[in-house]
Amino acid sequence: MSARPVLAALAASLAAVVVVGGCTSTATPQGAPGQPGPITVSASDTACDLSSATAPAGTISFTIRNAGSKVTEFYVYGAGDRIIGEVENIGPGLTRPLTVEVPQGGTYTTACKPGMVGDGIRAPFTVTGNAAAAVEGDAALAAAVQGYQRYTTSQTEALVAKTGEFTEAIKRGDVPAAQALYPVSRTYWERIEPVAESFGDIDPKIDGREDDERDPGVEFTGYHRLEKDLWVTGLQPDSAAMADRLMADVRDLQGRVGTVSLTPLQLANGAKELLDEVATGKVTGEEDRYSHTDLWDFRANVDGSQAAVAALRPVIDQRDPVLGQTLDQRFAALDALLENYRSGDGFKLYTELTPDDTKKMTEAVDGVSEPVSQVAGIIAA
Amino acid sequence: MLGNALIGLREGLEASLVVSILVAFLVQTDRRRELPRVWLGVGAAIAVSIGVVLVLTLTEQALTFEAQEAFGGGLSIIAVGFVTWMIFWMRKAARSISSELRGGLEKAIAMGPVAVVVMAALAVGREGLETAIFFFAAVQAAGSTTGPLIGFLIGIAVSVVIAYLIYRGALSLNMGRFFSVTGVLLVFVAAGILAYGVHDLQEAGILPGLYTLAFDVSDAVPADSWYGTLLKGVFNFSPQTTVLEAVVWVAYVAVVLTLFLRPVRRAVPPRSDAPAASAV
């Protein structure tokens, strides 16, 4: 093998690294309002002055000029000092560029390190907005769906594990253990209920109530049937079989969750449905009528709603900057209210609540429901 | 001026040290005809580095930070593989000499011409991109101040002189000593390159533990001092070393140095070999 192919191979591999490795444009965006070119950083042995301490999310360019006598470095840090970008070896008298991609708004840190040591001369740097605007709307929506699907997958895994413990306790006849596990295992179910309901036939089997309408020959099965055994009638001869059926249905759900493809609109509607569930089933004490563990489900429904909204948040912020803040405030108020009813690892029983308590809860849920119901309109727009 | 000179010195040493030992080795073993391949590899690395920087500049593109670090770190780790191979290749040569099998030497150290080119190219290329970008910045600044460019070139020149002195010093050793001295030196150089590559990958977020330091002697050995520069340039010693860097450095030296120094086995090995002296 002569040297020429080697050279070609070397050059090709270098070029490949550059192409594959990721480039970022350093061209100044044309006609972008409020973007007068790169941010200049005047670095010296004792100073690190930026021409602007804020920039919109997306591609941010810096030009670092070292007017000092020491070699310096310039860093942009994210949370926990994760390096977003850095330039080393800025010798005295040199000017070097740095271009970083910052898609997420928030507080970052800039630092010059004269003499290349220590934490450097640091200053906070604010990135405004979200670069989702720069991404195509479709890409942002796809990212939202992916993020939420990761959430449902992880919750379903936990659901299978905890329901396994719950049903094992029933089959052992260990009533106290099963009673303790009942609200815990349901938490994972309630967080992803809208996804489960999208399969139509699974929800009645897992979460049906005794007085639901059923086709002739279809039994009352699932969590609430076992709840009745544990708290009202005592374990029945067929409790263990019911436990096995619940487990089979939950596994069936897990198999299907992996294949479901949600739409962004389903996420938005799901967030709203979860809050409706709270209003109709939890605040009324209807859902867990035998065990009175409604507040566990309440908390889980709110969690699920928050997760769906959080996944859609970049798109929401892009299309309506105010709504996100409203959502944050209302969810925070609801969270704070629910915290008042904590008891040990769990919550107070529904029977311990006064009419005044449920009134406050209704108001807080309605407060969240109102902005959440606007999300679907924004997503569909 | 001094700062830029030290940068040139450091980058130059990082690139030229392995090359100077490689050249000394080829000269020592009467293989001068391989030398053009060394310069070909060096030239290719320089040309590609400058070419990439020019293309990026002209197309108004820049490598993302992660890509640049992954590139430098990845090439460093590949370079370690080649240098390690070179270390054992020297050991083989030393054995042939110590057993007075001069005729066998030619065969023992025969290596593909490709390997020579690639090794020289990697030794220079792993730092080539960063150096080319720096050089470009110095050229741009030359419009207002030529200080950085002159300083950088002085640093490069000094590094070439030092590399040449190492080359001459290596040549003045007799064959047997030459192999053991340069081999041990290369073990430490390669360990440094490996740690350096790990640090690059930590900075890029590909490996964890960037802020978990094993030690921090930046007060005693400032990174911008002349001795800090030399330590960095020759052994890639960094005053702030992460635990992961330290672990791979120690592991590499322990394994490779032990293997390199283990006694040459005789034709008929005794049944229970004496354990190799631990080099830790």
Side-chain angles (χ1 to χ4, degrees):
Chain A
M1 183 169 173
S2 82
R4 200 156 299 174
V6 178
L7 270 184
L10 264 178
S13 57
L14 265 171
V17 167
V18 172
V19 173
V20 176
C23 285
T24 175
S25 174
T26 54
T28 314
Q30 290 303 310
Q35 286 214 340
I39 293 169
T40 55
V41 182
S42 307
S44 70
D45 296 354
T46 52
C48 186
D49 299 321
L50 278 69
S51 63
S52 166
T54 175
T59 306
I60 306 174
S61 297
F62 298 89
T63 304
I64 305 98
R65 175 163 167 62
N66 183 5
S69 64
K70 293 180 176 175
V71 177
T72 192
E73 297 172 343
F74 180 74
Y75 286 80
V76 178
Y77 291 114
D81 276 3
R82 186 173 69 85
I83 301 177
I84 308 286
E86 60 154 7
V87 205
E88 296 173 345
N89 294 335
I90 311 171
L94 283 190
T95 302
R96 296 195 53 179
L98 172 66
T99 303
V100 291
E101 291 289 338
V102 185
Q104 294 263 303
T107 302
Y108 294 78
T109 304
T110 54
C112 297
K113 295 191 183 175
M116 304 179 283
V117 285
D119 292 338
I121 304 163
R122 291 179 169 230
F125 186 85
T126 309
V127 176
T128 54
N130 252 313
V135 187
E136 269 183 74
D138 291 353
L141 287 170
V145 169
Q146 276 184 331
Y148 186 70
Q149 280 183 321
R150 281 195 294 274
Y151 175 78
T152 53
T153 305
S154 70
Q155 295 302 313
T156 312
E157 278 173 21
L159 172 68
V160 169
K162 279 289 167 193
T163 306
E165 290 177 38
F166 168 64
T167 52
E168 284 306 312
I170 287 179
K171 287 159 78 174
R172 283 199 312 270
D174 187 344
V175 172
Q179 286 183 333
L181 281 162
Y182 169 80
V184 177
S185 60
R186 282 186 55 80
T187 293
Y188 303 101
W189 161 261
E190 289 285 342
R191 281 179 184 159
I192 56 164
E193 196 165 5
V195 181
E197 282 175 349
S198 70
F199 303 120
D201 59 329
I202 287 192
D203 184 63
K205 287 196 258 181
I206 293 182
D207 203 33
R209 319 283 200 273
E210 193 171 16
D211 50 5
D212 282 350
E213 280 193 29
R214 289 188 184 76
D215 293 336
V218 178
E219 282 181 279
F220 169 39
T221 60
Y223 277 115
H224 296 300
R225 159 63 215 267
L226 292 166
E227 178 197 13
K228 188 179 178 185
D229 293 358
L230 287 169
W231 270 275
V232 180
T233 57
L235 288 180
Q236 300 296 305
D238 63 346
S239 289
M242 283 293 164
D244 284 336
R245 275 184 68 166
L246 171 62
M247 203 58 220
D249 289 334
V250 167
R251 284 191 197 284
D252 178 22
L253 170 70
Q254 185 181 27
R256 297 203 223 179
V257 161
T259 61
V260 71
S261 62
L262 297 163
T263 66
L265 199 57
Q266 280 176 311
L267 260 64
N269 290 332
K272 177 74 171 70
E273 281 165 29
L274 281 161
L275 295 169
D276 295 344
E277 280 266 338
V278 175
T280 57
K282 287 35 172 209
V283 179
T284 56
E286 178 275 339
E287 174 103 34
D288 298 299
R289 60 192 73 170
Y290 316 113
S291 65
H292 307 302
T293 54
D294 301 88
L295 289 193
W296 275 263
D297 291 8
F298 186 154
R299 177 69 262 177
N301 285 155
V302 176
D303 288 343
S305 183
Q306 274 174 313
V309 169
L312 291 166
R313 187 61 184 269
V315 186
I316 297 171
D317 283 350
Q318 190 183 320
R319 301 182 184 180
D320 182 349
V322 183
L323 182 62
Q325 292 170 2
T326 311
L327 285 164
D328 284 351
Q329 289 162 0
R330 303 283 173 84
F331 269 120
L334 180 57
D335 287 348
L337 178 72
L338 264 179
E339 282 310 297
N340 295 334
Y341 299 97
R342 281 223 174 255
S343 157
D345 287 343
F347 290 91
K348 288 185 174 172
L349 295 179
Y350 186 78
T351 44
E352 298 172 62
L353 303 181
T354 64
D356 186 45
D357 290 327
T358 51
K359 182 166 164 289
K360 276 193 225 156
M361 288 177 187
T362 306
E363 284 167 2
V365 172
D366 288 345
V368 181
S369 266
E370 191 269 322
V372 167
S373 64
Q374 296 177 31
V375 173
I378 287 183
I379 297 300
Chain B
M1 185 78 153
L2 179 65
N4 293 306
L6 287 176
I7 290 177
L9 174 62
R10 192 185 68 222
E11 302 287 338
L13 275 179
E14 283 181 359
S16 60
L17 193 72
V18 173
V19 174
S20 73
I21 292 178
L22 179 61
V23 171
F25 177 70
L26 294 174
V27 172
Q28 273 278 33
T29 55
D30 281 338
R31 302 169 72 78
R32 282 176 178 273
R33 64 179 181 282
E34 304 261 21
L35 289 184
R37 299 206 171 93
V38 175
W39 306 127
L40 183 70
V42 171
I46 293 173
V48 171
S49 298
I50 292 177
V52 167
V53 173
L54 276 181
V55 168
L56 289 175
T57 309
L58 293 177
T59 55
E60 293 198 311
Q61 294 280 313
L63 277 180
T64 59
F65 158 72
E66 284 86 358
Q68 203 175 323
E69 297 292 313
F71 178 83
L75 274 192
S76 292
I77 286 168
I78 297 170
V80 170
F82 270 87
V83 175
T84 308
W85 171 75
M86 178 172 161
I87 289 166
F88 287 104
W89 182 52
M90 286 192 168
R91 187 171 180 270
K92 215 157 90 177
R95 275 172 46 188
S96 310
I97 289 163
S98 61
S99 54
E100 298 295 326
L101 290 171
R102 280 305 175 105
L105 180 65
E106 191 72 14
K107 226 170 72 185
I109 60 173
M111 67 166 176
V114 174
V116 178
V117 177
V118 172
M119 183 141 62
L122 274 177
V124 175
R126 68 186 189 86
E127 280 298 286
L129 200 60
E130 168 62 17
T131 310
I133 293 171
F134 180 88
F135 178 72
F136 194 75
V139 170
Q140 278 185 315
S144 50
T145 164
T146 53
L149 184 58
I150 292 170
F152 178 70
L153 293 175
I154 289 174
I156 294 277
V158 172
S159 77
V160 170
V161 170
I162 292 178
Y164 180 75
L165 291 176
I166 289 174
Y167 162 78
R168 294 298 309 177
L171 284 192
S172 68
L173 298 168
N174 71 42
M175 280 286 226
R177 281 189 62 81
F178 169 84
F179 290 125
S180 50
V181 170
T182 50
V184 170
L185 178 65
L186 275 182
V187 171
F188 286 99
V189 169
I193 296 175
L194 181 62
Y196 176 94
V198 166
H199 189 260
D200 266 358
L201 297 181
Q202 285 182 307
E203 284 194 321
I206 296 168
L207 290 176
L210 181 59
Y211 296 105
T212 317
L213 293 184
F215 58 83
D216 181 354
V217 294
S218 47
D219 290 338
V221 188
D224 56 354
S225 61
W226 64 267
Y227 46 97
T229 299
L230 285 179
L231 279 172
K232 177 92 184 158
V234 177
F235 296 113
N236 266 302
F237 173 81
S238 133
Q240 287 172 305
T241 294
T242 66
V243 169
L244 190 60
E245 272 183 272
V247 167
V248 297
W249 191 93
V250 169
Y252 181 90
V253 170
V255 171
V256 178
L257 200 60
T258 306
L259 290 175
F260 181 75
L261 294 177
R262 75 173 183 245
V264 177
R265 295 225 309 243
R266 287 176 208 83
V268 186
R271 245 174 319 177
S272 63
D273 236 2
S278 176
V280 180

